[in-house]
Amino acid sequence: EANAAAANSGDGGDEESIPSLRRVAPGLSRGAADNPYVLDVNGVEGLNRQIVGPRKHAVLFCSASWCRTCRSLKPKYIKIAREASAVLEERRTPTTSDSEVKEGEITFAQADTTGTNGKLLSRYLDVEAVPAFVLFKSGKLYGEPLSISRLPSKKLNLALQMLQSGQEYDAKAIEALDQ
């Protein structure tokens, strides 16, 4: 820990000799180095910096380290994010502008709801239980948090389709998938 603190503070320690250390501004992280598809959001500050401020379309996976269901959903969520990224890349052609590609882009993010920052974030987003998926349209909440315990999910797929197409959120259509 002393080496990690020294490397992060810049007071000694050689960051290059410890490859697992990365300098990251508070609230900003790309997640695990082997996971470039899901953005790591740390608290309300991170949410505001990474999703709300840039006015992104996004889905935020709210989970907790103690939650067994959350842990089982995580690799499936990463797979969904990876597949969405691949589809976006397929749409990119030599004549496609970045703004055209960004139009349909959805940022996949995850947040831990434990600890002080996590609890504040879950209250801020009105997340009562995990796992939950919160959607954002241009940085603003889009619909209600979705309580989903299995992926792939018809509810999440429909909500993402609505978001991507620019449609208004239809809670009744999503709730109908529960029956």
Side-chain angles (χ1 to χ4, degrees):
E1 283 184 76
N3 285 344
N8 285 332
S9 68
D11 299 319
D14 184 6
E15 192 170 5
E16 291 178 4
S17 68
I18 307 171
S20 64
L21 292 179
R22 294 179 294 140
R23 288 181 191 259
V24 178
L28 288 176
S29 171
R30 192 63 182 145
D34 60 342
N35 179 14
Y37 306 104
V38 179
L39 196 65
D40 231 358
V41 172
N42 184 4
V44 176
E45 181 185 332
L47 177 74
N48 286 331
R49 250 192 251 169
Q50 295 172 286
I51 294 173
V52 175
R55 300 177 49 126
K56 290 185 177 183
H57 288 358
V59 57
L60 177 66
F61 173 36
C62 297
S63 64
S65 55
W66 50 261
C67 169
R68 181 177 283 169
T69 304
C70 299
R71 287 194 308 262
S72 73
L73 290 180
K74 191 173 182 177
K76 295 171 186 169
Y77 181 67
I78 291 168
K79 181 181 180 195
I80 291 168
R82 186 179 65 238
E83 289 170 352
S85 177
V87 167
L88 206 58
E89 283 304 311
E90 285 174 11
R91 284 187 23 207
R92 189 182 303 268
T93 65
T95 59
T96 314
S97 71
D98 280 347
S99 62
E100 288 174 309
V101 171
K102 286 200 183 290
E103 219 171 83
E105 185 177 354
I106 294 178
T107 298
F108 287 81
Q110 63 187 3
D112 189 344
T113 59
T114 58
T116 305
N117 284 342
K119 288 176 183 174
L120 287 172
L121 179 64
S122 53
R123 272 189 239 127
Y124 182 77
L125 296 174
D126 202 24
V127 170
E128 296 175 3
V130 291
F133 294 84
V134 182
L135 284 86
F136 295 85
K137 181 177 182 179
S138 301
K140 295 181 180 167
L141 279 175
Y142 181 72
E144 299 290 319
L146 299 172
S147 180
I148 295 171
S149 57
R150 277 192 265 183
L151 289 177
S153 160
K154 290 179 183 178
K155 284 169 56 172
L156 183 59
N157 289 346
L158 179 58
L160 288 171
Q161 285 173 357
M162 289 177 191
L163 175 62
Q164 214 164 19
S165 69
Q167 228 178 306
E168 287 299 312
Y169 187 83
D170 186 351
K172 287 182 181 177
I174 290 173
E175 287 171 20
L177 294 173
D178 278 337
Q179 278 116 44

